[in-house]
Amino acid sequence: MTAPEASGARPGELRYSCTLPAQLSAVTPALDALESLLVSAGATDEERSEVRLIAEEALVNIVTYAFEADAPPPIALQCVCTAEQVWLEFRDSGMPFNPVAAPPPRLTAPLEERAAGGLGIHLIRSLADSVIYEHSQGCNVLQVTRQRRSGGHR
């Protein structure tokens, strides 16, 4: 993984991209690098924690559920951070899964009546301003945008 850098970016724009192994042990270093980019961009604590949570949920879901093989292919993560927004893209060649089409969890149902799973997707939807999925050229592509808000307002 590489460190965040402004090279090739437009003025006021920071970019980060990495390819990480589809292993849980690779998630934290990618999240740390993403957070470093957000610090460099002057993101608030709230922005950093919410973007990190979005990325963590997406990456852990991909690592945990997208692949059947013992040696899964890598995951590509891209981030573009401007004064107005943080844009994330997650790309994997695992089994097609559209998280946008997944039904919302039944949060008001008693625990024993709830289906397992779905809370990570719910968190992503709740924290993001835009969640777009497409399956293109054999890849799952999830794009998530979170607007930056001055003063920490959400």
Side-chain angles (χ1 to χ4, degrees), residues 72-136:
I75 302 164
L77 167 62
Q78 291 187 61
C79 177
V80 178
C81 187
T82 67
E84 295 80 30
Q85 69 180 15
V86 178
W87 176 85
L88 299 164
E89 181 181 86
F90 306 89
R91 187 177 290 262
D92 70 84
S93 59
M95 293 180 290
F97 174 71
N98 182 352
V100 175
R106 296 176 46 215
L107 298 176
T108 58
L111 278 176
E112 60 275 1
E113 294 178 16
R114 292 186 200 177
L119 292 178
I121 294 167
H122 175 71
L123 276 171
I124 291 170
R125 287 179 183 152
S126 297
L127 296 173
D129 294 291
S130 170
V131 181
I132 299 169
Y133 169 84
E134 72 173 335
H135 192 262
S136 176

Side-chain angles (χ1 to χ4, degrees), residues 6 11-12 19 42 56 59 63 67-68 75-76 78 80 92 97 102-103 106 117 130 144 147 152:
T19 302
E56 180 176 15
L59 290 171
V63 168
F67 305 105
E68 293 178 350
I75 302 164
Q78 291 187 61
V80 178
D92 70 84
F97 174 71
R106 296 176 46 215
S130 170
V144 181
Q147 298 301 316

Side-chain angles (χ1 to χ4, degrees), residues 39-62:
V39 167
S40 297
T44 65
D45 289 346
E46 178 184 13
E47 289 168 339
R48 289 194 318 268
S49 65
E50 289 183 5
V51 170
R52 186 179 177 109
L53 183 55
I54 289 168
E56 180 176 15
E57 290 297 334
L59 290 171
V60 168
N61 281 345
I62 294 167

Side-chain angles (χ1 to χ4, degrees), residues 1 20-21 23-32 52 55-56 59-60 63 75:
M1 282 182 269
L20 60 143
Q23 301 168 347
L24 289 175
S25 62
V27 172
T28 297
L31 295 174
D32 291 345
R52 186 179 177 109
E56 180 176 15
L59 290 171
V60 168
V63 168
I75 302 164

